[in-house]
Each structure stands twice: as C-alpha cells, then as structure tokens.
Amino acid sequence: MFTTRPTLHGTFGMVSSTHWLASQSAMAVLEGGGNAFDAAVAGAFVLHVVEPHLNGPAGEVPVLFAPAGGAVRVLCGQGVAPAGATVAHYRSLGLDLVPGTGPLAAAVPGAFDAWLLLLRDHGTRSLDDVLKYAIGYAEHGHAPVENVGATVESVRRLFETEWTSSAEVYLPGGQAPRPGTLLRNPALAATWKRLLAETARAGGREARIDAAREVWRSGFVAEALVRQAGRPTRDTSGERRTGTLTEADLAGWSASYEAPVTYDWNGWTVCKAGPWSQGPVLLQQLALLPPELPAYGSADYVHLLVEGCKLAMADREAWYGDAAEVPVAELLSDGYNAARRALVGGTASYELRPGSPGGRAPRLPALAPAGAGPGAHGHLHARVPGTGEPTVAQFPDEPQVSGEPQIGADGASRGDTCHLDVVDRWGNMIAATPSGGWLQSNPVVPELGFPLGTRLQMAWLEEGLPNSLAPGRRPRTTLTPSLALRDGVPVLAFGTPGGDQQDQWQLHFLLAAALRAPVRGGLDLQGAIDAPNWHNDSFPSSFHPRGRRPGSVTVESRTDPGVIEELRRRGHDVTVGPAWSEGRLCAVARDPETGILSAAANPRGMQGYAVGR
C-alpha cells in the first residue's frame, strides 16, 4: 500500500512529534543515554520555541506514560482557575462567555511544572541537559515554518498597536518571521539561563529540579506572570481587561499524577486522562461501536463513526468537567452504550442528545440548545472557520490569511496544538499533547519571552455545570493523548493537535491501525495516519465563541466520491476540504514479543516528523 512515508522500524528509540526539530532534539537525548522521559522533556521545550503559535511554557499539557514494566499513569499539567476567577466576577464585567484571549482567560500555567515533575521522578538527565536544545534555538535562532509568519501577519495590527511586547519578539524590524531566515527569542533564552543560574547550587539532580519549580511558582517567573496578568489587555470582547492570577494561585498549584480511565475493545486496552479532559470521549466512541463494523472506509462506516461521535460529545457537554462528580463508570458501561447505540439511525442527526447515566437527568449549558434541524440558524450555528480549535486575538477588519491558523468571519484567528510521542529501547513509552500559551493568545511577558495561556475560555459562565468556571477547578481541556495496551502491555502511544477534533481523528487512526493488515509484521502506523480522515462540528465548540454546526461533516477530498454522495443522501451537511487537511497524528509503537520499535508522523502541514533507529 502506498504511503507518504515509511513506517519507521528499529530497536534503539523512536520519536514522533509535530516539528522535526523537536523530534531530532528528543532523539539526541536518547542517543546521549537518556530515556524516553528525558527525551520528551527536551522535545517539549523545543516545541515552545519552534511552534510558539501552537504552545508555550505557560500553557498546559496532559501526559500519558508507561515506565518499562510499570503501570500507565496520567500526569496532569492542566492548571486550575485562579481563586478570583468566579462566575460572578466575569458576569459583573458584562460577559456571558470567558474571552478567548487576554488575561481573563488565563488559568494557572501547568506545562512547565508538569514537565519538570516528569523529569524529576522518571527521567535521568539534568536540567541543563534537557534545556540546552531549547536555549540554543531561542538564543541563536531557528528557521521558522511558514505558519509562524502567517500567524504573526494575522495579528500584526494588534501586535503593533496593543501587544507591543509581542511585536518586539515576532515583528523585529517590522518583519514577520519567514522561512529561510532566523527567528530568535533572546528573552526566552535569558529566562532559562537565569533559571539555571539561580538553581545551580541547589544540590543533586532532583533538588535542582525542585528548586526550578519553586522559581517558577514564587520567584522571578511568578512575579513577571502576575505583573502581566494585572496589565489591562485587549481581548476578544474588544475591551482592555486585567486577569485574576495571583502569587498565591501560582504558589498553591503543582502538577499531579493520577490513574487513567480505560476501556477494553477488541483485545486493546485504551488509556486516557479523566473527564477533566475530553479523553473519555474516545472510550465512549469505542463503547458505542457494534460487535461487527461495516466495511472500513465505506459510507456505512463513516456514518456510524460520525453519529457515535455526536452521542459521545453530547455526553461530554452534559457530564464532563472538574466542577462536579462525573459518572464515568456508567458512561462507559455496556448497558448504557447499548441503549445509546440504538439512537443511531440511517440518517444524520441534527440534535444534541446527551444520555441519562444511572438515571440522572442531563443538563446542558444555556448556550448549548439540545437540538436544531437542518438549516436552523442561531448563535451556536454560525459557520465559524476553525470551529473546534483555539481562539486567538484579531481586529475585526483584518484581511484573511490563508493557511493555518485560519481567520474566521468573526475576525478571530485560530490556533492549534502540538503533540509528542517517544518510546525507548527499555520499553518506556510516553504520549503528550502540549498546548496553550500561544503567541496569539496573550501578549508576550516582556521579562520572560512567552505569553500566558487562555484555557479558561473552555469553562462556562453558568453555575452548577460540570464545566462551570470555578476557582481551584480545571477547565475541561480538549487535550487528549492516548496509550493503548495489548494483553496488559503498552504497545502504542499516539495523539494529535486539533481541539475538539482530536478524539475524532484518533478514533479513525486507532481503528485503521487495528483493523487493517499489518505491514512488515507490525502496525501500519503511517498508513493509518495517511488514510483520509474527517470530523464533525455538531456539538458546541470548546473555544470562544462556542460555535456549533449541527449535521456537519468535513471530509478530505481524497474521500471516495461515492461515500460523499451517500453521506449527503443520508442528510449529512458535507464540506469537502483539501486533500490533506484532516488529522495531524503522531504515533510510536513497540512490539513486546520482538522489542521492535516503530514510529510515524503526519504529512499534513509538512512539519511533523518521526525519527528513530
């Protein structure tokens, strides 16, 4: 079978990420004797530098990892809402949604502490060893991918007139970053150098890492973050507002470990983060599948997966979040999903139909109506390019810019996310989806070289919901890496950027890898990534302005025309997108019988690469 690239095979180590410099930096750590967790941390800090439009140190990251011979664990790098981030406060400002940009949307930053906790507890390398790659690219420069410049151009006027600290980094001399030139971030390099200098005498490896975490929480980094949150900043509401983040918020939070939520399907055990993420959506989609699946790639197959996704996402809206107890066991139970499966008919549903696990009555946000028929219009049915992906700032009259991120009709540009997978020769395996703290989300903190995040936009300004904005609670994130086991042994780590689309694309990838014929004795990872993919926006977006397109399905133009015609006949509102536009998956795998490692990466966007030997 033709694929854009080979599935890589080897025995030493494999890395797959959304940028080749992160992949190769992580591989360099493996070559230097580090393990998969050392490599992932090094790669993650490089992603902050080379994909600044997709993630940053003050963003967030959920991590799934499996130490060799150990149990799968979740590392939660999703920060909580600050103590002052109450529904009443935002309502008093005249808001009915958390702004998509600016300091009011900033949760407690989570990514930095999560990466350092992983390094301390499961890595072997020093802080200097893992930071040197990011420092080098920030200080001496890297050749940026085209989308960095396109993103900066999309917010040029904002940077030049409002977010001037961002212009200093990303519009040096008035020029946006472009391929073939060097993009530097000396302020970020100086931040990491100062961090290393201030912790140099902390003692051993673990003590120094903890000292660095304290500098982030209560030292010069924390001070600068709090100053930035207090600066009036223009956000998507059009107003200049200050945030709620304080020194106490930063000092009182740290990343933490927890058990994954799992589901057994067809000999696989799939592991996800809990319902503070959208991770269980993938598990619910598996639970909704019938015992016998239609032919792979057929109209019946696509229809089944799309309709199952709608049901799982409706449950996400009604039940997932960190502000209430979530009935996960019932949501994944056989009886519940058998009843839900019966709702899938022969035609497309335009309704938002949450279930009643354990007899509980579902409750949807007021801005998420339960149903709308074909052709219905309203606040949530507006066609918003990039629906389901992060919102970033934009002046209303800016011209549209092609490429990704997209510029919406509402004047908002949209960002995205990164992903990173690593497996080493000892069998350590990790999947992580870093995001948030994009250059378009908040102004660059001038003393630090990176912005605050905007994850609070995913919480509702309505009391009593599982995903209501609540101090000390995590906003429900779309970030959702995956680990899969066979016979209790970790075999596959995978994930993708894409906001609400992540668990849609991952389902098709997993089924493609599990159902299609193996290549050279292993999983056909590249074939599963390259296969034509799709997504739907029939549920409220997790991102401001929370758009929804009932009945929609967006497919790649490589999809069989007969399948497209049949989907339309069944009532799906089909949009045919570019040939290579759906899914940005990364994956690594390990065969426990032979020890052979494999990896593959997404060709879409032309910047994700797998490396290994």
Side-chain angles (χ1 to χ4, degrees):
M1 187 189 102
F2 172 79
T3 59
T4 58
R5 308 165 182 175
T7 295
L8 305 184
H9 294 274
T11 56
F12 181 83
M14 291 284 165
V15 182
S16 179
S17 87
T18 48
H19 196 290
W20 62 83
L21 290 179
S23 295
Q24 190 54 52
S25 298
M27 191 67 201
V29 173
L30 294 180
E31 296 282 5
N35 67 19
F37 310 122
D38 299 312
V41 174
F45 277 91
V46 171
L47 286 173
H48 298 157
V49 180
V50 301
E51 293 191 324
H53 58 313
L54 305 179
N55 78 138
E60 45 276 326
V61 59
V63 178
L64 272 86
F65 68 99
V72 176
R73 299 290 288 166
V74 174
L75 173 56
C76 175
Q78 173 57 66
V80 299
T86 65
V87 170
H89 174 63
Y90 287 66
R91 290 287 190 180
S92 74
L93 299 175
L95 297 168
D96 60 359
L97 291 172
V98 177
T101 63
L104 272 178
V108 176
F112 178 87
D113 194 65
W115 288 121
L116 263 63
L117 186 63
L118 179 74
L119 181 68
R120 186 196 73 182
D121 294 346
H122 298 280
T124 64
R125 303 285 107 173
S126 71
L127 201 53
D128 301 77
D129 288 340
V130 298
L131 283 178
K132 66 182 181 182
Y133 304 94
I135 291 173
Y137 288 125
E139 184 172 26
H140 303 298
H142 64 96
V145 296
E146 186 176 357
N147 283 336
V148 176
T151 303
V152 173
E153 286 291 355
S154 77
V155 288
R156 171 185 284 274
R157 184 176 161 204
L158 181 73
F159 280 15
E160 291 176 336
T161 62
E162 299 270 349
W163 296 8
T164 54
S165 60
S166 299
E168 291 178 12
V169 176
Y170 294 109
L171 286 169
Q175 297 295 314
R178 61 190 186 278
T181 64
L182 288 177
L183 173 61
R184 298 179 174 89
N185 190 339
L188 178 58
T191 294
W192 298 146
K193 285 185 167 182
R194 182 177 174 184
L195 183 82
L196 292 175
E198 290 193 8
T199 59
R201 298 184 180 181
R205 191 187 77 90
E206 291 83 3
R208 190 178 186 197
I209 293 170
D210 278 336
R213 296 171 69 206
E214 284 306 311
V215 170
W216 179 277
R217 283 199 196 96
S218 58
F220 78 92
V221 175
E223 293 167 359
L225 292 173
V226 171
R227 278 195 299 272
Q228 183 63 43
R231 293 180 176 122
T233 301
R234 176 176 171 145
D235 60 32
T236 50
S237 72
E239 302 293 330
R240 296 181 182 89
R241 305 180 190 274
T242 58
T244 62
L245 187 69
T246 67
E247 294 92 339
D249 295 319
L250 285 161
W253 183 86
S254 65
S256 58
Y257 298 107
E258 58 189 56
V261 179
T262 65
Y263 185 77
D264 294 330
W265 175 82
N266 204 30
W268 294 84
T269 298
V270 183
C271 304
K272 301 291 282 188
W276 51 268
S277 76
Q278 73 173 12
V281 162
L282 178 61
L283 309 183
Q284 282 196 259
Q285 290 178 96
L286 290 171
L288 285 162
L289 295 176
E292 297 293 329
L293 292 178
Y296 174 87
S298 66
D300 286 340
Y301 178 85
V302 178
H303 173 78
L304 176 71
L305 267 58
V306 168
E307 293 304 299
C309 174
K310 293 174 185 177
L311 295 173
M313 286 296 195
D315 277 342
R316 184 193 75 168
E317 289 308 306
W319 300 107
Y320 289 23
D322 200 33
E325 185 177 347
V326 181
V328 175
E330 289 92 340
L331 288 167
L332 297 179
S333 67
D334 291 343
Y336 177 77
N337 285 287
R340 298 283 279 157
R341 189 182 307 125
L343 297 176
V344 176
T347 58
S349 170
Y350 280 63
E351 295 180 295
L352 192 62
R353 299 181 290 178
S356 301
R360 302 169 180 84
R363 178 183 165 191
L364 292 168
L367 290 178
H377 294 276
H379 174 71
L380 288 177
H381 194 187
R383 174 64 180 106
V384 182
T387 293
E389 295 190 2
T391 310
V392 293
Q394 180 71 12
F395 277 91
D397 56 351
E398 288 284 354
Q400 293 202 5
V401 179
S402 62
E404 196 184 336
Q406 297 174 321
I407 310 301
D410 60 349
S413 168
R414 306 205 175 272
D416 205 349
T417 298
C418 307
H419 189 80
L420 175 70
D421 300 313
V422 188
V423 61
D424 64 29
R425 62 189 184 274
W426 301 289
N428 298 301
M429 184 177 287
I430 182 170
T433 310
S435 188
W438 314 281
L439 66 86
Q440 327 88 307
S441 62
N442 260 306
V444 166
V445 183
E447 307 95 320
L448 301 178
F450 58 84
L452 287 164
T454 53
R455 193 59 56 173
L456 289 188
Q457 68 179 286
M458 310 181 91
W460 293 100
L461 295 183
E462 184 178 344
E463 299 283 9
L465 299 170
N467 192 32
S468 297
L469 181 67
R473 299 293 185 178
R474 294 167 286 191
R476 189 196 68 217
T477 180
T478 54
L479 306 176
T480 174
S482 302
L483 270 176
L485 293 71
R486 295 282 292 184
D487 300 320
V489 179
V491 169
L492 178 64
F494 60 101
T496 179
D500 292 321
Q501 300 157 17
Q502 291 180 30
D503 281 314
Q504 302 186 58
W505 291 335
Q506 289 186 65
L507 175 68
H508 182 46
F509 164 80
L510 178 61
L511 295 180
L515 297 176
R516 299 172 91 182
V519 173
R520 291 188 295 276
L523 294 171
D524 181 14
L525 299 182
Q526 195 64 52
I529 288 172
D530 287 357
N533 216 322
W534 61 82
H535 81 276
N536 84 92
D537 297 307
S538 294
F539 46 86
S541 167
S542 295
F543 301 93
H544 187 280
R546 314 307 290 262
R548 178 184 173 217
R549 295 197 302 144
S552 66
V553 180
T554 302
V555 303
E556 292 181 324
S557 61
R558 295 181 294 130
T559 304
D560 183 336
V563 170
I564 295 173
E565 181 181 356
E566 176 61 16
L567 291 174
R568 285 177 170 153
R569 190 191 69 78
R570 295 184 183 204
H572 295 278
D573 180 7
V574 180
T575 297
V576 179
W580 295 90
S581 56
E582 291 289 317
R584 292 158 214 144
L585 283 134
C586 300
V588 300
R590 178 178 183 271
D591 186 327
E593 294 184 3
T594 64
I596 292 176
L597 312 178
S598 56
N602 172 50
R604 302 164 178 89
M606 296 183 291
Q607 66 190 64
Y609 277 87
V611 296
R613 68 173 179 87

